Each structure stands twice: as C-alpha cells, then as structure tokens.
Amino acid sequence: MSVDPSPSDVPRPPGGTGRWLPAVLAAVVAAALMASAWGAKDPTTWLLETVWVMVGLPLAILLRRRFPLSGLLCGLLAAHALVLIVGGHYTYAEVPAGDRVRDWFGLERNPYDRFGHLMQGFVPAILVRELLVRTSPLRGSRWLAPLVGCACLAFSAVFEMLEWAAAVTGGQAADALLATQGDVWDTQWDMFCALIGATCSLLFLSRLHDRSLTRLPFAARD
C-alpha cells in the first residue's frame, strides 16, 4: 500500500466542491431506494440489504454542516448505495446484469455478489481514510494505509457475522441474503474481495482523495 502526502502538504486550489453535488447524489439515491422497494423479489432481503442506505443517507444529511464529506467520498458512497439497492431489489444471486456477465464469460455463478463485496472494501476504505485524516494524528503517517485496510477487513468480518446471525435465525429464508450459490468458501471469498477492494482503493485513489479534501471548506479540513 502506498503512502501519500498529507492533505496539508498538497497545494490547496481556490474554490470548493460544488454545493449541489451532495444534494443531487442524495436525491438520486433516495429515488432509487424508493423505486427498488416496488416489486422487490424478496422484501426481507431488500430490507436487510438496504438498511445501510436507510441509516447512512439521513446520517450524512444531518451531519452535512458539522462534518461535510469530500466530493470524492460523496460520489463513492452514492455508487455503493446503488450497488446495495440493486442487490436488495433482485437479490445478489439473481441480478440480471450479473447473469449476463456469467453467461458471457462462462462463469459458474452470478458474480454480482463478488462485485458487491469488492465495493464493500473499495468505498469504506476512502470513508475510513477521510475520518482518520480529518480526526486523528494519522494524517501523513505511514500507518494510515495499513490501518485503513485492517479497518475495512474488520468491517467485512462483522458483516459476515451479521449474515451468519441472519442465517441462524432465519433458516432457509436467509438464503437470498447469503447468496452463497452453493460455494462453501463464500464467506472467505467475500472477505478476500473486500480486502482487494480496499487495497485497490488506497493504491489508486489516495492522491485523488487528498486533492478532494483540499476542496472542503477550510474549517472542515483542519
């Protein structure tokens, strides 16, 4: 994992992130969430998969003045929310786009679940990085990237335990949520995909994230 310069070391361009961006992204996510509830394949799975959006979106709106998020993070969170919403509507094992990818490449399973877990590491990596850069002494530290990766892997493990709890309490009704598609190593693959996603995010987006942070209002950056 590469270590990038602290946002304080990056030249700060004039101006700020467009104020309209978070509002537009929030509106798109809210509209998609409401639309996905209509005709959802499994209402229980839809609720369990999208509850993160139902909690995260209002929280981001409530904290928008006290802790505004960078433009890059807003975009990534919106993309992740849409991935969760699509997976909740169809269930991860039956997303049509995943079926087409499976058929094109001759795969044994619908890969949308794997993509979802890549996103589970890719997006939270920037979220955790932003929280640590802005609220801890780790800004500019060589420990920043490794600790972000560890946090994302821990989050993935907690998510797998929540799925395990749902399977124990829900029995066969939890099959759509688990989306194991017959793979006994599905839990391990899910966590590995999250780790790959987090690593790629840190390698390829850290410098872009630093530039995005410089566009925040000065009081929010420091």
Side-chain angles (χ1 to χ4, degrees), residues 146-161:
L147 289 175
V148 168
C150 289
C152 292
L153 191 56
F155 172 73
S156 180
V158 169
F159 190 84
E160 294 301 322
M161 286 190 282

Side-chain angles (χ1 to χ4, degrees), residues 4 8 16 35 41 47 53-55 70 75 78 84-85 107-108 118 121 127 133 141 153 160 174 178 200 213 216:
D4 297 319
S8 62
K41 185 174 182 61
L47 177 62
V53 182
M54 297 178 193
V55 172
S70 67
L84 294 172
I85 288 168
L107 305 176
E108 295 181 355
L118 281 169
L127 173 60
V133 164
S141 169
L153 191 56
E160 294 301 322
L178 295 175
C200 290
L213 286 170
L216 286 171

Side-chain angles (χ1 to χ4, degrees), residues 6 132-133 135-145 147-148:
S6 160
L132 292 178
V133 164
T135 64
S136 80
L138 288 170
R139 176 164 48 184
S141 169
R142 294 181 179 275
W143 285 101
L144 177 61
L147 289 175
V148 168

